[in-house]
Every structure is written in structure tokens, then in C-alpha cells.
């Protein structure tokens, strides 16, 4: 599952210490978030095992959401070497997510 992060310092540490990080921003009353998060987790775990998965509840970490320009949920941001590589918001295709991450991930971890 996604590791819960609620402070900017925790978030910075993940980006600093990990080569590949996916951050899923969600909300308590977001039904799309609750449906999409487990499916995204499954794909990331199965196809990208070296990628760390971080979850941010925007109700508990509003400052972190604003610092990352996340104003709608769900939002998923992929970072490689601390830099934003991909951002998806709202209802997004998990197949497209997998396809977009595949090549840079393989280059980084092969």
C-alpha cells in the first residue's frame, strides 16, 4: 500500500532518498480516489517494484498539497531523481500511466 506522508519534511525525505516515487493525493470524501488508489497501487507494485509509493490525504496535509500545486483530487505525481516526470488528475487511465512510466523506469533500474 501507499506509505502515508503528512508533512513537507517527510515528503522531501522521500524525494531525496528514493530514485523513483509515486505520490497519490486523495481526499476522504473522494469516491474516485477510493476506487483508483488500490488499482494504481497494484499496477505500481506489480510492474515497478523499486518505485516507492506515497499517499497524501489532502485534508490532513493541505500545505503539502498546495506546495505541489494539487488543487483537485485524485492527483498522482511521478518523480524520478527528485524531479516531477508525470502528473495525472481526476479520472485517468491506469494503462496509460503504466505505459508512460515503463521506459524511464526500465532505464533507471536495469
Amino acid at each position: 500500500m501507499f506509505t502515508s506522508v503528512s508533512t513537507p519534511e517527510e515528503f522531501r525525505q522521500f524525494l531525496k532518498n528514493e530514485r523513483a516515487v509515486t505520490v497519490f493525493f486523495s481526499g476522504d470524501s473522494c469516491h474516485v480516489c477510493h476506487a483508483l488508489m488500490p488499482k494504481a497501487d497494484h499496477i505500481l507494485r506489480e510492474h515497478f517494484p523499486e518505485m516507492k509509493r506515497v499517499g497524501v490525504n489532502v485534508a490532513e496535509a493541505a500545505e503539502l498539497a498546495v506546495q505541489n500545486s494539487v488543487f483537485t483530487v485524485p492527483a498522482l505525481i511521478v518523480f524520478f531523481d527528485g524531479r516531477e516526470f508525470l502528473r495525472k488528475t481526476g479520472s485517468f487511465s491506469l494503462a496509460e500511466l503504466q505505459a508512460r512510466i515503463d521506459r524511464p523506469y526500465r532505464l533507471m533500474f536495469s
Side-chain angles (χ1 to χ4, degrees), residues 9-110:
E9 182 55 37
E10 288 176 307
F11 185 76
R12 279 191 294 277
Q13 286 302 313
F14 261 99
L15 294 184
K16 179 181 174 185
N17 296 331
E18 304 296 340
R19 296 187 69 199
V21 178
T22 297
V23 185
F24 194 100
F25 290 87
S26 64
D28 291 333
S29 60
C30 171
H31 298 293
V32 174
C33 300
H34 297 298
L36 203 54
M37 192 176 210
K39 293 174 184 176
D41 182 58
H42 175 75
I43 286 173
L44 294 168
R45 233 179 329 108
E46 185 173 308
H47 297 281
F48 312 109
E50 298 295 322
M51 182 172 279
K52 301 302 177 198
R53 297 173 315 280
V54 174
V56 176
N57 183 323
V58 296
E60 298 170 5
E63 178 184 1
L64 192 51
V66 171
Q67 285 178 352
N68 286 279
S69 300
V70 173
F71 303 108
T72 185
V73 290
L76 184 136
I77 306 175
V78 177
F79 293 89
F80 286 114
D81 287 330
R83 285 185 227 109
E84 184 176 326
F85 168 75
L86 176 67
R87 178 179 294 245
K88 294 288 187 181
T89 58
S91 262
F92 51 85
S93 163
L94 293 172
E96 179 189 346
L97 174 70
Q98 180 181 340
R100 293 276 313 269
I101 295 173
D102 189 60
R103 185 170 186 272
Y105 179 87
R106 282 187 291 116
L107 290 171
M108 182 173 278
F109 292 103
S110 292

